[in-house]
Amino acid sequence: RSTMEEPSGTHTKRKVVAVVGGGLVGSLNACYFAQRGFNVEVFETREDIRQAKIVRGRSINLALSHRGRQALKHVGMEEKIVSQGIPMHARMIHSLSGKQSPIPYGKKGQYILSVDRANLNKELLTEAEKYPNAKLNFDHKLQDWSPETGLMTFARSDGSTEHIEADLIVGCDGAFSAIRKQFLRRSRFNYSQTYIPHGYMELTMPPIDGEFAMKPNYLHIWPRNTFMMIALPNLDKTFTCTLFMPFEEFEKITMTSSASHFYYFRLPAQAMVSVKCSPYHIGDKCVLMGDAAHAVVPFYGQGMNAGFEDCIVFDEILNQFDEDLSAALPEYTRVRVPDDHAIADLAMYNYIEMRAHVNSKWFLFRKHVDNILHLLMPKTIIPLYTMVTFTRTRYHKAVERWHWQDKVKHKCFLSLSLSLSVLQIRPSVLGSVMWLHR
Amino acid sequence: RSTMEEPSGTHTKRKVVAVVGGGLVGSLNACYFAQRGFNVEVFETREDIRQAKIVRGRSINLALSHRGRQALKHVGMEEKIVSQGIPMHARMIHSLSGKQSPIPYGKKGQYILSVDRANLNKELLTEAEKYPNAKLNFDHKLQDWSPETGLMTFARSDGSTEHIEADLIVGCDGAFSAIRKQFLRRSRFNYSQTYIPHGYMELTMPPIDGEFAMKPNYLHIWPRNTFMMIALPNLDKTFTCTLFMPFEEFEKITMTSSASHFYYFRLPAQAMVSVKCSPYHIGDKCVLMGDAAHAVVPFYGQGMNAGFEDCIVFDEILNQFDEDLSAALPEYTRVRVPDDHAIADLAMYNYIEMRAHVNSKWFLFRKHVDNILHLLMPKTIIPLYTMVTFTRTRYHKAVERWHWQDKVKHKCFLSLSLSLSVLQIRPSVLGSVMWLHR
């Protein structure tokens, strides 16, 4: 691993990159830019979570899959993070009757990983700090910045302000991005934020007799039509359960209900938002990545993975354009927008489908048919979930291929049923012909 | 007309309504609230356009149709405004060869009106001012406001600030609404802004020998695939031409081109945005109307009409709930959001369709078929354009009916062609049967 090496590109004045946001995508991006030899300054509003007593806010577990792993691999972090995750080979559907049915995520040996958000964030921050040309600035709240000059002003909690002039500002400050607000003030910026009617609440399922309360290597799902619960395993043998329920229902629940005896309610119900926008850049000065560019609802397990993949894609484009930001930034918008919009739409589609169908035999049947077709024709029929989760097929290409495959499947079924009906008809046709010639 | 009468509802303390924005919808709304007996304060950032030398900004002409007229009628303004408009009975399509083909908007006698935006705005402001309980405050820029208390702060150009506490704040401050920014800061507010790739530019076509340069009672259209021009007549015998063109194309045009000899370029190319959001209200304190709630692209001629209809709809709901704002505001969101979203979508649909088809014979053919079917079955088949433009059918109901009619038409055509093919086949069938029995 190359983390402690001095960056090689010292032939020109090092570019100053301000990464706004020290969350998952921000801290990973810091590693990418540091590895490239840029002077990296990370600015995070909150204190250092490695010193924090309570980490508030976002969800506890995440599902790490191929795209996220590839992004970690580029900065030598894959092995370490994977070793701290728990493989989940299948969904485990819990029916109303209590029956459990596993549905594999892919082929034998393919799995997604349950990882702890806070731990992953800490590891990434520690990794970024290893680069001598990267500096982490906590307790720095963005106050103002100029997309023309790259001049930024940050407020400290002691009332002081700090200024920095950056060559590139990378907005990795999440779904409610402060950087993005400047984009919204400009003309011809397309933007949408859509809240879904469901909220979520996280609960912890403690171990039983020092062991996992359920089988650990699964993502457990309790589909119950209007509401749904999922559970992901943690290294400490607890499960983090996430209850998805329409806000109206949450409002009806009293905290004194029997559920509170079993689970510990961490937070009140949280809203879920899907954010899409375009362009991702302003001039040669600023670019949005991760949730700041494309917050997605969590029903495809791709939020973090898409954000991490942003880092690889931008890195590849920087190579392609020899670090010319005035060319790389528009290219990043051109290349990445359709993919991020595709995964945002897929996640929303899954939200609607999971509520409607995951409980039904039809859903199970289709998943099985897809997996069987994939086994029979591994190069022709690739389940959408596989393309999204276990490959780096561009998201929008995966969606295109999915539609194409659906057409092919439809045609196959059609010719199959036609052939069958022809076979049924032929005897009678033969019969009447024979009758005529009798 | 009742404009100078004292409002009758003096049994309780009059509600204070702050209308933010003195544009078309703001000034009309002021009349509505004043007529109801509320204490109305209109706050407008700019100076009084009745005193202004140059009116910058928005488009010059608007097409007033049924919904807008009905809204004006409620405050006794219809006749006056209609008398200052120019009826347009049909679109006049100018082909590449110079041929002109009229396509009527509806039945004989149905027309839309070309009205002057600035003049209409002035008339509405003057009308609002006639109410003793309405006050217009120009040069008042909204600085801050609280959706909890209704307290508002305005900045004057002399540097002073003014405060007011309103019972109801009505955001009529246009597509880039300052009121709406507060909505965006709150959780679970759905919002989208979509800029289209086209910009527009307005040009004036002067009279020729003191007369209109073209036939005045038409909305002239030059469909040219990627770009398009329309022209609306003015009372001074000029036409206001609006050139719609992709921004990329505008950038290519040099101002020294021959076009500048004929037309006077008023403004650089302007962007067009479609804004959708939900909810329209916060608690019992604030509500969005007009472009602030639903900016639409101008391709259905419904922007102003939809905004004016907002005033009627809110007025009806206030009556229904006996002016109980805590009930009326959520009801307004519930009722109006689907209709405004429908017209925003229709306008966008027309943007795409006009570019693709208005130039084609297929478009002309379909318009004619629709009009003929409407004449034959006036209660069954009503063209979408007629429902939108010449009735107050709820926009979303009009869209539903349109889809239903399309299905009916499709079925009719299908049975018609089936019947025809059966008729064609029968002779041969008869022939073979006869051959068999020979």
Side-chain angles (χ1 to χ4, degrees):
Chain A
R1 296 205 282 141
S2 64
T3 52
M4 297 304 291
E5 287 166 25
E6 263 297 296
S8 54
T10 47
H11 51 291
T12 51
K13 194 176 153 282
R14 281 173 173 180
K15 282 197 175 76
V16 176
V17 178
V19 175
V20 180
L24 296 175
V25 175
S27 50
L28 178 61
N29 241 336
C31 298
Y32 270 82
F33 291 116
Q35 204 174 52
R36 183 172 284 285
F38 287 3
N39 269 343
V40 181
E41 301 274 350
V42 177
F43 297 99
E44 167 60 45
T45 305
R46 290 169 295 186
E47 57 181 326
D48 190 339
I49 53 162
R50 293 167 300 178
Q51 268 102 62
K53 287 192 188 85
I54 310 155
V55 181
R56 274 188 58 84
R58 307 292 306 284
S59 71
I60 300 153
N61 297 80
L62 297 158
L64 177 67
S65 54
H66 183 71
R67 293 170 206 261
R69 287 178 64 162
Q70 285 298 110
L72 291 169
K73 195 177 183 176
H74 273 56
V75 292
M77 292 285 289
E78 187 190 13
E79 270 178 57
K80 186 170 201 176
I81 300 305
V82 167
S83 72
Q84 296 165 2
I86 300 176
M88 300 182 290
H89 299 273
R91 313 157 186 87
M92 182 67 89
I93 309 289
H94 295 245
S95 75
L96 259 178
S97 67
K99 198 184 148 222
Q100 299 187 21
S101 330
I103 311 174
Y105 279 118
K107 287 184 286 196
K108 212 174 153 73
Q110 284 183 322
Y111 56 86
I112 60 177
L113 282 154
S114 172
V115 298
D116 180 279
R117 172 191 285 270
N119 178 63
L120 175 54
N121 203 161
K122 287 174 190 173
E123 293 285 359
L124 287 169
L125 288 169
T126 300
E127 183 68 18
E129 245 176 3
K130 287 185 190 162
Y131 293 89
N133 52 325
K135 194 181 154 209
L136 306 181
N137 306 277
F138 296 98
D139 177 27
H140 277 68
K141 187 180 163 71
L142 183 71
Q143 222 173 28
D144 199 18
W145 64 282
S146 158
E148 282 74 36
T149 61
L151 193 71
M152 312 176 80
T153 309
F154 293 92
R156 309 290 314 268
S157 58
D158 64 7
S160 64
T161 57
E162 270 180 35
H163 302 279
I164 182 184
E165 206 176 313
D167 296 301
L168 176 64
I169 298 165
V170 186
C172 305
D173 50 347
F176 306 101
S177 170
I179 289 285
R180 202 178 55 215
K181 290 201 172 76
Q182 189 88 253
F183 282 67
L184 267 168
R185 273 183 233 135
R186 301 169 76 89
S187 188
R188 303 186 64 202
F189 178 62
N190 292 327
Y191 175 77
S192 80
Q193 60 180 46
T194 309
Y195 285 87
I196 57 174
H198 278 60
Y200 73 91
M201 193 179 254
E202 289 189 322
L203 321 152
T204 299
M205 187 187 284
I208 295 177
D209 300 329
E211 273 310 313
F212 279 108
M214 303 179 295
K215 288 182 180 172
N217 292 110
Y218 296 91
L219 192 156
H220 293 266
I221 306 182
W222 293 259
R224 296 293 182 269
N225 294 318
T226 57
F227 66 100
M228 177 174 83
M229 195 167 80
I230 64 169
L232 279 81
N234 297 311
L235 283 179
D236 65 1
K237 300 194 172 166
T238 60
F239 277 93
T240 305
C241 305
T242 310
L243 176 62
F244 297 96
M245 207 155 66
F247 270 98
E248 323 172 329
E249 299 291 326
F250 272 116
E251 284 151 18
K252 290 180 199 160
I253 291 182
T254 59
M255 284 303 153
T256 54
S257 75
S258 61
S260 60
H261 294 295
F262 292 100
Y263 305 116
Y264 168 61
F265 283 85
R266 283 177 189 258
L267 285 168
Q270 308 256 327
M272 282 168 281
V273 67
S274 183
V275 171
K276 291 200 277 186
C277 65
S278 174
Y280 287 164
H281 72 286
I282 300 180
D284 62 351
K285 273 287 181 297
C286 182
V287 63
L288 299 174
M289 292 196 204
D291 282 5
H294 51 82
V296 301
V297 293
F299 303 99
Y300 223 110
Q302 284 293 309
M304 171 184 65
N305 291 289
F308 279 7
E309 196 180 39
D310 288 349
C311 303
I312 316 183
V313 170
F314 193 70
D315 194 61
E316 288 165 351
I317 290 171
L318 280 181
N319 287 340
Q320 194 184 331
F321 289 91
D322 205 16
E323 298 182 359
D324 173 2
L325 297 176
S326 68
L329 267 56
E331 177 68 2
Y332 179 72
T333 287
R334 194 188 67 77
V335 167
R336 197 57 180 162
V337 164
D339 289 326
D340 289 334
H341 285 198
I343 191 61
D345 292 342
L346 276 181
M348 192 63 91
Y349 172 84
N350 243 27
Y351 162 63
I352 294 157
E353 181 167 273
M354 278 172 109
R355 280 188 303 167
H357 301 302
V358 84
N359 211 5
S360 73
K361 298 230 163 86
W362 176 235
F363 177 83
L364 295 176
F365 172 73
R366 269 174 37 206
K367 284 279 166 198
H368 282 303
V369 166
D370 277 4
N371 288 340
I372 290 164
L373 286 174
H374 182 44
L375 278 176
L376 294 173
M377 303 175 278
K379 293 213 170 134
T380 313
I381 304 288
I382 308 170
L384 176 62
Y385 191 88
T386 296
M387 288 188 278
V388 168
T389 310
F390 300 118
T391 78
R392 273 200 61 211
T393 309
R394 288 183 62 182
Y395 288 125
H396 90 275
K397 290 281 176 198
V399 171
E400 276 175 21
R401 195 185 168 110
W402 175 47
H403 291 312
W404 174 81
Q405 287 180 174
D406 260 8
K407 266 189 208 155
V408 170
K409 276 189 273 177
H410 192 76
K411 276 187 192 159
C412 288
F413 282 120
L414 216 69
S415 11
L416 198 69
S417 29
L418 264 176
S419 317
L420 285 174
S421 52
V422 163
L423 284 173
Q424 274 188 319
I425 284 167
R426 186 169 292 160
S428 69
V429 170
L430 284 172
S432 29
V433 169
M434 282 172 4
W435 181 84
L436 277 172
H437 286 263
R438 202 166 46 164
Chain B
R1 296 207 280 142
S2 64
T3 53
M4 295 304 290
E5 288 167 24
E6 263 297 295
S8 56
T10 48
H11 52 290
T12 50
K13 193 176 151 284
R14 282 174 172 179
K15 282 197 175 76
V16 176
V17 177
V19 175
V20 179
L24 296 175
V25 174
S27 50
L28 178 61
N29 241 336
C31 299
Y32 270 82
F33 290 116
Q35 204 175 51
R36 183 172 284 284
F38 287 3
N39 270 342
V40 181
E41 300 275 352
V42 178
F43 297 99
E44 167 59 46
T45 304
R46 289 170 294 188
E47 57 181 327
D48 190 340
I49 52 163
R50 292 166 301 178
Q51 268 101 61
K53 286 191 189 84
I54 311 156
V55 181
R56 273 188 58 82
R58 307 294 306 282
S59 71
I60 299 154
N61 297 79
L62 295 159
L64 177 66
S65 54
H66 183 72
R67 292 168 205 263
R69 288 178 64 161
Q70 285 298 110
L72 291 169
K73 194 177 185 178
H74 272 56
V75 292
M77 292 284 290
E78 189 189 12
E79 271 178 56
K80 185 169 202 177
I81 300 305
V82 166
S83 72
Q84 297 166 2
I86 299 175
M88 300 182 289
H89 298 274
R91 313 157 185 88
M92 183 66 90
I93 309 291
H94 294 246
S95 75
L96 259 178
S97 67
K99 199 184 148 224
Q100 299 187 19
S101 330
I103 311 174
Y105 279 120
K107 286 184 286 197
K108 214 174 152 70
Q110 284 184 323
Y111 57 86
I112 60 176
L113 283 152
S114 173
V115 297
D116 181 279
R117 171 191 286 269
N119 178 63
L120 175 55
N121 203 161
K122 286 173 192 174
E123 292 284 3
L124 287 170
L125 288 170
T126 300
E127 183 69 17
E129 246 175 4
K130 288 185 188 161
Y131 294 89
N133 51 325
K135 194 182 155 211
L136 306 181
N137 306 276
F138 296 99
D139 176 28
H140 277 69
K141 188 180 162 68
L142 183 71
Q143 221 173 31
D144 199 17
W145 64 283
S146 158
E148 282 74 36
T149 61
L151 193 72
M152 312 176 81
T153 308
F154 293 93
R156 309 292 313 270
S157 58
D158 63 7
S160 65
T161 56
E162 270 180 34
H163 302 279
I164 181 184
E165 206 175 314
D167 296 303
L168 176 64
I169 298 165
V170 186
C172 304
D173 50 347
F176 306 101
S177 170
I179 289 285
R180 202 178 55 214
K181 290 203 172 76
Q182 189 87 254
F183 282 67
L184 267 168
R185 273 182 232 132
R186 301 169 75 88
S187 188
R188 302 185 64 202
F189 178 62
N190 291 327
Y191 175 78
S192 79
Q193 61 179 47
T194 309
Y195 285 86
I196 58 174
H198 278 60
Y200 74 90
M201 192 180 254
E202 288 189 322
L203 322 152
T204 299
M205 188 186 282
I208 295 176
D209 300 330
E211 273 309 314
F212 279 109
M214 303 179 295
K215 290 184 179 171
N217 292 112
Y218 295 91
L219 192 157
H220 294 266
I221 306 183
W222 293 259
R224 296 293 182 269
N225 293 320
T226 57
F227 67 100
M228 176 173 86
M229 195 167 80
I230 64 170
L232 279 82
N234 298 311
L235 283 180
D236 65 1
K237 301 197 173 164
T238 61
F239 277 93
T240 306
C241 306
T242 311
L243 176 62
F244 297 97
M245 207 155 65
F247 270 97
E248 323 172 331
E249 298 292 326
F250 272 116
E251 284 150 19
K252 288 180 201 158
I253 291 182
T254 59
M255 284 304 154
T256 55
S257 76
S258 61
S260 59
H261 296 294
F262 294 98
Y263 305 115
Y264 169 61
F265 283 85
R266 284 178 188 259
L267 285 170
Q270 307 256 325
M272 283 169 281
V273 67
S274 182
V275 171
K276 292 199 276 185
C277 65
S278 174
Y280 286 165
H281 72 286
I282 300 180
D284 61 352
K285 274 287 181 299
C286 182
V287 64
L288 300 173
M289 292 195 204
D291 282 5
H294 50 84
V296 301
V297 293
F299 303 99
Y300 223 109
Q302 284 292 309
M304 172 186 61
N305 292 289
F308 279 8
E309 195 180 39
D310 289 349
C311 302
I312 318 185
V313 171
F314 193 69
D315 194 60
E316 288 166 350
I317 290 170
L318 279 181
N319 287 340
Q320 193 185 331
F321 289 92
D322 205 17
E323 298 182 359
D324 173 1
L325 297 176
S326 68
L329 267 55
E331 177 68 3
Y332 179 72
T333 287
R334 194 187 68 77
V335 167
R336 197 58 180 160
V337 165
D339 289 326
D340 289 335
H341 286 199
I343 191 61
D345 291 342
L346 275 181
M348 193 61 92
Y349 172 84
N350 244 27
Y351 163 62
I352 294 158
E353 182 168 272
M354 278 171 109
R355 282 187 303 165
H357 301 302
V358 86
N359 211 5
S360 73
K361 299 229 162 84
W362 175 235
F363 178 83
L364 295 177
F365 172 74
R366 268 173 38 205
K367 285 277 166 198
H368 283 303
V369 165
D370 278 3
N371 288 339
I372 290 164
L373 286 175
H374 182 43
L375 279 176
L376 294 174
M377 304 175 278
K379 293 212 169 136
T380 313
I381 303 289
I382 307 170
L384 177 61
Y385 191 87
T386 297
M387 289 189 277
V388 167
T389 309
F390 300 118
T391 77
R392 273 200 62 211
T393 309
R394 288 183 62 183
Y395 288 124
H396 90 275
K397 290 281 177 199
V399 171
E400 275 174 22
R401 196 185 167 109
W402 174 47
H403 290 312
W404 174 81
Q405 288 179 175
D406 260 9
K407 267 189 208 155
V408 170
K409 277 190 272 175
H410 191 76
K411 275 186 191 160
C412 288
F413 281 121
L414 215 69
S415 8
L416 199 69
S417 30
L418 263 175
S419 316
L420 286 173
S421 53
V422 163
L423 285 172
Q424 275 190 316
I425 285 167
R426 188 169 292 159
S428 69
V429 171
L430 284 170
S432 30
V433 169
M434 279 167 13
W435 180 83
L436 276 173
H437 286 264
R438 198 166 49 163

